Amino acid sequence: MPHENDSCFRGQESVNYFSCMIHLWEEWTGLENMENYFNYLDYLVWVFTPLAIVFILPLFIVVFIYLSILFLHVYKRKNELKEAYSYNLWDGARKTLATLWDGHATIWHGYEIHGLEKIPDKGPALIVYYHGAIPIDYYYFLANVIIRKGRTCHSVADHFLFKLPGFKLLLEVFSVIHGPQLECVRALKNGHLLAISPGGVREAIFSDENYTLIWGNRKGFAQVAIDAKVPIIPMFTQNVREGFRSLGSIKLYRWVYEKFRLPIVPIYGGFPVKFRTYLGDPIVHDPNLTAAELADKVKLAVQSLIDRHQTIPGNIFRALLERFHRRHKED
């Protein structure tokens, strides 16, 4: 009969074999150093946690303060919002969103708008503007028209915007159209404000810090103004290219857009630079001007706003500093 000690020896032998296999597996996979790695990671957490707390907690406080300011901005207009909702559900919704956008404009960009009095209190007009990489300045303008003028400005947008999921209701509530000339003329003849950027998506993604107008030979907007017999008001926002920038200078993105009409150019930014929107003098209806002549006249007016109010080339750091002083290019 096998001795009891022999059984113990064989058990010990199998344990040693199993330990040896584990050791070989750890060596082959590199897991033998995992304990050291975890110890080192634990040490880093121990060292940097106090530093993270020191810097992150004040950031939360700043965010909370800004949210409080935004709340107060909305609360300041609570009576106006209450009246708007009692009159019409969508009017109330528009005014609420406009108030939120206006609060964001004030907090993040110290937004100013100059020449809003040139927008008529009633009756039609066509607003023509320079298109930034993301036209957030135009959203701020719309908010100001709703809040300070009590009007909704219809907008012309690119077709791709109407294909984005979930955008349909937003576009309907804010009277966004995709731009057939007949529809634009109809909106103006019905007494509405209408805004369009002749440069559109191409200008948004392929213009740069030199603020080049990329309108090509577009004159449809001029024909709309002629047919509707309305004035055209030029508009430009200082530093809009410093808020958001695109990588449109890369030739591949230009080729993809021209070939497939896909605006897939990467955009970066969101910098809290100073924004000032300027509205030029209205270009009154002149029946003697052709669409091409009127388009050139409007382009010259927008370019004039750029020349007067924008330092070329644009600079993000300089635009950030403008948040802290009031000096800027004079008229």
Side-chain angles (χ1 to χ4, degrees), residues 97-127:
L97 288 176
T99 302
L100 289 170
W101 275 105
D102 187 54
H104 183 274
T106 301
I107 295 169
W108 198 247
H109 291 290
Y111 182 70
E112 299 174 14
I113 185 165
H114 300 268
L116 189 63
E117 69 279 359
K118 296 171 185 177
I119 301 293
D121 293 331
K122 55 183 171 181
L126 179 64
I127 296 99

Side-chain angles (χ1 to χ4, degrees), residues 43-325:
Y43 172 74
L44 290 178
V45 170
W46 179 78
V47 170
F48 287 105
T49 294
L51 291 175
I53 292 174
V54 166
F55 287 103
I56 291 176
L57 285 182
L59 180 62
F60 277 117
I61 297 298
V62 171
V63 170
F64 183 75
I65 290 172
Y66 275 114
L67 288 175
S68 300
I69 295 170
L70 187 59
F71 168 78
L72 292 174
H73 196 83
V74 175
Y75 187 80
K76 183 175 69 173
R77 301 186 184 276
K78 67 176 179 128
N79 291 330
E80 298 174 26
L81 295 176
K82 185 177 179 180
E83 183 180 349
Y85 275 105
S86 65
Y87 177 71
N88 180 282
L89 175 64
W90 292 123
D91 283 348
R94 274 191 290 266
K95 201 152 193 176
T96 300
L97 288 176
T99 302
L100 289 170
W101 275 105
D102 187 54
H104 183 274
T106 301
I107 295 169
W108 198 247
H109 291 290
Y111 182 70
E112 299 174 14
I113 185 165
H114 300 268
L116 189 63
E117 69 279 359
K118 296 171 185 177
I119 301 293
D121 293 331
K122 55 183 171 181
L126 179 64
I127 296 99
V128 175
Y129 63 97
Y130 172 84
H131 202 306
I134 293 180
I136 190 169
D137 62 310
Y138 177 65
Y139 308 152
Y140 297 158
F141 165 75
L142 291 180
N144 272 266
V145 170
I146 291 172
I147 293 170
R148 295 167 60 181
K149 289 287 183 176
R151 304 192 64 184
T152 299
C153 181
H154 292 222
S155 307
V156 177
D158 194 89
H159 286 78
F160 89 92
L161 201 61
F162 292 83
K163 299 176 182 178
L164 295 177
F167 268 57
K168 182 179 179 182
L169 181 60
L170 180 68
L171 298 177
E172 287 179 356
V173 170
F174 283 90
S175 303
V176 181
I177 59 179
H178 60 80
Q181 288 189 23
L182 288 176
E183 194 172 351
C184 292
V185 172
R186 187 182 304 115
L188 290 167
K189 284 188 173 181
N190 287 335
H192 298 296
L193 298 171
L194 179 70
I196 185 172
S197 172
V201 174
R202 185 177 278 105
E203 186 169 272
I205 58 183
F206 298 122
S207 186
D208 55 24
E209 63 272 18
N210 291 309
Y211 289 83
T212 306
L213 294 175
I214 307 178
W215 291 14
N217 295 318
R218 291 186 175 179
K219 55 187 179 183
F221 70 94
Q223 190 62 55
V224 165
I226 291 172
D227 292 343
K229 299 179 181 180
V230 299
I232 296 178
I233 302 173
M235 186 173 82
F236 169 73
T237 298
Q238 182 186 50
N239 295 326
V240 66
R241 279 277 159 190
E242 278 54 73
F244 288 92
R245 292 244 174 121
S246 72
L247 299 180
S249 59
I250 299 175
K251 293 182 178 180
L252 174 63
Y253 296 128
R254 186 64 179 259
W255 179 84
V256 169
Y257 179 76
E258 300 297 349
K259 185 75 173 178
F260 305 104
R261 287 295 185 271
L262 294 175
I264 59 173
V265 177
I267 294 173
Y268 66 95
F271 306 114
V273 300
K274 182 69 177 181
F275 276 0
R276 295 183 181 94
T277 292
Y278 293 93
L279 291 152
D281 293 329
I283 301 170
V284 297
H285 170 66
D286 184 349
N288 297 317
L289 288 178
T290 66
E293 291 170 337
L294 181 57
D296 288 341
K297 191 173 183 178
V298 176
K299 186 175 183 180
L300 186 62
V302 175
Q303 185 63 58
S304 177
L305 290 175
I306 295 173
D307 294 340
R308 288 161 58 190
H309 301 295
Q310 183 64 53
T311 302
I312 303 294
N315 180 277
I316 294 173
F317 183 66
R318 183 179 61 242
L320 286 168
L321 291 180
E322 288 180 9
R323 291 295 305 274
F324 304 101
H325 62 81

